[in-house]
Amino acid sequence: MSTPLAGLPARVEVYEVGPRDGLQNEAVALPVEVKAEFVRRLTAAGLRTVELTSFVPKQWIPQLGDAEELLAMLGDEQPARAPVLVPNEKGLARAVAAGAREVAVFASATESFARRNLNRSVAESLAAFAPVVEQARAAGLPVRGYVSMCFGDPWEGAVPLDQVAAVALRLAEFGCAEISLGDTIGVGTPGQVAALLALLDREGLGADRLAVHFHDTYGQALANTLLALQHGVTTVDASAGGLGGCPYAGSATGNLATEDLVWQLDGLGVDTGVDLPALARTSLWMAGQLGRPSPSRALAALAPTLPTPTDQES
């Protein structure tokens, strides 16, 4: 039974990051055929936006070293929005050659993480992203900008909100159509989220251009998401089965599980277009491919209610 809550959007776009942010932190690389099937199943479950992969050098993240193969294998079976992550101009050139229709760039709000993740300072990384965004837009590709470490950094501790806002505003100035605010190590709480959204709004970056990306390290992801929705955000990043983490931040645990998010939104009467049982079956299938259970609490509760998969589904 759904019971609406005043002040929430009628519809939320679930930005599925499992195939990229989820699989990049797994101990082993899955076959490209499994990744393609994962995307197909997520799309069939009603997810319109699925971030497919990353065009980083294979030596950086070997789990995603088959980006060109994946896009070729999916062909016209890609979802309505199928963004890919690009780290630099070379990555963008590869993505364009592979037929990518949308790209994302990944900036840091802190110097320590920028050095570990991008091998550059914050200023240097932003300067490097400017031509990437310009070239992508010239090629007709929408660009999303990620800001990581928005609320805490494992090396620097609490992150000043004006420091986060400065990076987000630069990405918006470059022409990023959407800015995703990431709680990379999952330490944020609703008051911090409210303060950051209010600050960005005062600086002219409204909720209509923002998305939120929460990790559930301290069990705060759903609370933070609800707060963001109450402040007008309508795009929420999530990962099927709660897959994910960050290979460059050891304290970053799994993403907000898409099943947990959709269960909450269904209960609030907020439309996502996602078929929750179909999504749950997909995440259980992926857990089988990875050989370990999913951390999603909603998935654990739903699993006994799902029909036994047929040989074709498994």
Side-chain angles (χ1 to χ4, degrees):
M1 182 178 72
S2 65
T3 305
L5 185 64
L8 296 182
R11 179 179 174 85
V12 163
E13 183 69 16
V14 179
Y15 186 105
E16 174 60 48
V17 299
R20 197 276 302 172
D21 196 24
L23 296 183
Q24 74 173 4
N25 208 41
E26 291 301 317
V28 296
L30 292 175
V32 67
E33 294 83 3
V34 172
K35 296 175 185 177
E37 182 61 19
F38 188 30
V39 173
R40 293 186 192 104
R41 293 185 185 215
L42 291 168
T43 305
L47 286 154
R48 297 180 62 257
T49 303
V50 181
E51 194 168 81
L52 301 181
T53 187
S54 175
F55 281 82
V56 300
K58 188 172 184 177
Q59 63 268 29
W60 291 7
I61 303 180
Q63 297 91 332
L64 303 180
D66 51 11
E68 282 91 350
E69 293 175 71
L70 178 61
L71 266 65
M73 186 169 290
L74 287 169
D76 59 6
E77 295 180 290
Q78 295 181 31
R81 285 183 66 189
V84 299
L85 194 71
V86 296
N88 49 36
E89 292 178 81
K90 288 183 178 179
L92 174 63
R94 287 177 55 203
V96 170
R101 306 194 307 263
E102 182 175 350
V103 299
V105 295
F106 204 106
S108 171
T110 68
E111 294 293 341
S112 296
F113 190 62
R115 289 289 181 188
R116 285 166 172 80
N117 191 35
L118 301 166
N119 201 31
R120 292 186 173 102
S121 68
V122 170
E124 289 168 343
S125 65
L126 287 171
F129 285 139
V132 175
V133 177
E134 181 181 8
Q135 291 169 28
R137 296 181 68 208
L141 276 62
V143 184
R144 166 184 253 226
Y146 282 100
V147 184
S148 60
M149 299 295 175
C150 287
F151 303 105
D153 177 289
W155 302 280
E156 299 182 19
V159 181
L161 295 185
D162 58 351
Q163 189 171 308
V164 180
V167 175
L169 290 167
R170 285 293 304 281
L171 291 173
E173 289 169 6
F174 293 162
C176 290
E178 182 175 82
I179 311 295
S180 177
L181 306 172
D183 184 12
T184 312
I185 59 172
V187 296
T189 54
Q192 293 171 290
V193 176
L196 178 57
L197 294 175
L199 173 58
L200 289 170
D201 188 62
R202 291 195 299 273
E203 296 291 339
L205 186 54
D208 60 319
R209 289 186 66 183
L210 297 175
V212 288
H213 183 120
F214 296 117
H215 288 235
D216 207 30
T217 313
Y218 290 89
Q220 300 297 295
L222 281 175
N224 289 338
T225 297
L226 182 59
L227 188 287
L229 298 181
Q230 290 171 324
H231 278 68
V233 173
T234 59
T235 300
V236 180
D237 298 3
S239 179
L243 293 172
C246 177
Y248 299 101
S251 56
T253 57
N255 292 288
L256 169 61
T258 313
E259 294 81 9
D260 295 4
L261 173 64
V262 173
W263 177 269
Q264 176 175 270
L265 295 179
D266 281 355
L268 291 166
V270 176
D271 180 34
T272 62
V274 177
D275 180 335
L276 184 54
L279 172 63
R281 288 193 295 271
T282 295
S283 292
L284 287 172
W285 171 81
M286 177 51 70
Q289 300 298 314
L290 295 171
R292 62 175 179 81
S294 161
S296 167
R297 285 166 286 185
L299 182 59
L302 288 166
T305 72
L306 300 173
T308 302
T310 65
D311 291 340
Q312 184 177 10
E313 291 174 329
S314 59

